[in-house]
Amino acid sequence: LWVFHSSGTSAPFTASVPNPLVFNSPTIVTGTASGLHQTDLGIDIDVMYTHALNSKTDISVFGGPSIIHVKQDFASIDVSAGSQNATGSSVSESKTTGKAGNGGIDITYRLNDRYSAMFLVRYAGGEVDLPSSPKMKIGGAQVGVGLRVGF
């Protein structure tokens, strides 16, 4: 189970707003929609092969399918009724992937009989069809370090 969250990004926009009084005389408005976020929640189902490098170190190779739920904010342009004033805002869309996968390596170093330090490198990614972004690529490379407790 993993989570990715990106926040605080912005997107520039340009809009051609028709003039309500003069035909074929639009106003070009530019601006920035800010506060856009993306959150990915992933569940990986892995098959793993582990090999002992020596008495204290193991290396594991793993891979398998992933289920990734993405929530993405997109820039939206709002035009005030009867005017040519445009402002940028955000609209949120979310969906769960139909196809995604992951793979990587894990190196574990035993500190004693109960505790181990670990280092992980993994790629998890896929594709999701959102209304504003069909075939959007999601996921990416992940690196992690941690402490494992054996029972």
Side-chain angles (χ1 to χ4, degrees):
L1 178 68
W2 53 270
V3 175
F4 166 80
H5 182 74
S6 173
S7 63
T9 58
S10 60
F13 68 85
T14 302
S16 176
V17 182
N19 189 319
L21 301 175
V22 181
F23 179 74
N24 206 16
S25 180
T27 298
I28 305 300
V29 179
T30 61
T32 301
S34 59
L36 305 178
H37 306 281
Q38 178 181 348
T39 302
D40 297 346
L41 172 63
I43 298 172
D44 298 334
I45 303 164
D46 292 326
V47 173
M48 181 180 288
Y49 171 75
T50 301
H51 177 74
L53 295 176
N54 58 44
S55 64
K56 289 198 166 258
T57 308
D58 295 334
I59 186 167
S60 301
V61 179
F62 60 89
S66 296
I67 300 167
I68 305 172
H69 181 79
V70 64
K71 183 178 176 187
Q72 174 72 52
D73 292 342
F74 292 96
S76 176
I77 302 169
D78 301 313
V79 179
S80 301
S83 75
Q84 291 182 295
N85 298 328
T87 57
S89 63
S90 67
V91 62
S92 187
E93 298 176 8
S94 64
K95 188 160 185 182
T96 300
T97 57
K99 52 185 173 179
N102 75 90
I105 62 168
D106 177 309
I107 299 171
T108 302
Y109 179 78
R110 279 182 288 290
L111 301 170
N112 59 35
D113 288 341
R114 184 158 186 181
Y115 297 100
S116 300
M118 56 79 63
F119 174 74
L120 169 91
V121 177
R122 166 178 56 204
Y123 177 85
E127 186 176 278
V128 67
D129 286 324
L130 294 174
S132 296
S133 182
K135 297 187 184 275
M136 183 173 109
K137 303 286 185 207
I138 57 172
Q142 302 169 353
V143 176
V145 294
L147 182 66
R148 287 199 173 121
V149 179
F151 297 98

